[in-house]
Amino acid sequence: MLQIQQTASLFSGQKVFRILKNVENKNQEAIRAVVVYENNADTLSPSLQEMLDNLMKACKFNVSELLFLSNKENEVSIGQIQSSFNPQILLLFGEIAGSKNMIKLQKNVSYEMNGMKILRTESLENLEKIKGEKGKLWEVLKQTLNIAS
């Protein structure tokens, strides 16, 4: 299990958590997407918050269906996230390893594990800075989530 600590609010009150060790879905909430991103600060900058908010809206996710995890350690247990939340998709922003036993996931390549889609992409900061990276991510997300243009 991943332990999480609430650290901030994002997306009009959506809870953002920092990974400590283990987490469990005690309330059995329906989570369609888990977003894990690298961030050393307790909150994202307004421009990064807006970019992530717009991306989730474009993916047609409701705020209540999202779980955001801020990760300093750069490793998460994909199996534990899947068993605790069973999301449709796990989005990894940055150099976040999936687990010690897994191969490194390529950027902007959609993987599937027991029915859950996994997508690793650039860090939020690089998506904002590097021209064309948001477009690459959006193309993969549209295909992965079957979003019509």
Side-chain angles (χ1 to χ4, degrees), residues 106-121:
Q106 294 180 356
K107 288 182 184 174
N108 298 323
V109 174
S110 181
Y111 295 88
E112 188 166 327
M113 184 175 100
N114 300 325
M116 176 180 71
K117 308 249 191 268
I118 303 167
L119 180 60
R120 187 177 79 82
T121 191

Side-chain angles (χ1 to χ4, degrees), residues 35-50:
V35 177
V36 181
Y37 58 89
E38 301 171 319
N39 192 31
N40 291 326
D42 284 342
T43 60
L44 290 174
S45 70
S47 64
L48 293 179
Q49 285 182 14
E50 182 179 357

Side-chain angles (χ1 to χ4, degrees), residues 2-148:
L2 295 170
Q3 238 179 24
I4 56 177
Q5 171 187 359
Q6 185 174 347
T7 59
S9 289
L10 184 66
F11 304 104
S12 303
Q14 171 63 35
K15 294 179 181 175
V16 177
F17 299 90
R18 181 167 312 283
I19 296 174
L20 296 175
K21 186 176 177 188
N22 297 313
V23 65
E24 59 183 292
N25 190 2
K26 292 179 182 175
N27 299 330
Q28 299 301 311
E29 299 173 65
I31 301 294
R32 285 186 52 208
V34 174
V35 177
V36 181
Y37 58 89
E38 301 171 319
N39 192 31
N40 291 326
D42 284 342
T43 60
L44 290 174
S45 70
S47 64
L48 293 179
Q49 285 182 14
E50 182 179 357
M51 179 181 63
L52 194 51
D53 186 22
N54 289 337
L55 182 62
M56 295 299 103
K57 284 180 186 176
C59 290
K60 302 184 185 339
F61 291 125
N62 294 324
V63 173
S64 62
E65 301 172 319
L66 299 169
L67 176 66
F68 297 91
L69 300 173
S70 174
N71 183 25
K72 286 185 180 180
E73 314 316 324
N74 298 326
E75 183 180 312
V76 296
S77 171
I78 291 175
Q80 289 176 347
I81 287 175
Q82 185 172 29
S83 65
S84 293
F85 300 100
N86 195 26
Q88 175 184 358
I89 189 166
L90 170 62
L91 296 169
L92 304 170
F93 289 91
E95 297 297 325
I96 299 171
S99 289
K100 291 180 182 175
N101 300 343
M102 287 185 66
I103 60 168
K104 184 175 179 178
L105 302 174
Q106 294 180 356
K107 288 182 184 174
N108 298 323
V109 174
S110 181
Y111 295 88
E112 188 166 327
M113 184 175 100
N114 300 325
M116 176 180 71
K117 308 249 191 268
I118 303 167
L119 180 60
R120 187 177 79 82
T121 191
E122 289 288 341
S123 68
L124 292 172
E125 290 82 4
N126 285 345
L127 282 175
E128 189 174 56
K129 289 181 207 172
I130 302 172
K131 184 177 180 175
E133 287 300 320
K134 281 190 272 189
K136 289 178 192 176
L137 171 59
W138 179 238
E139 288 304 314
V140 175
L141 280 170
K142 285 193 311 187
Q143 185 177 24
T144 302
L145 297 172
N146 297 318
I147 299 171

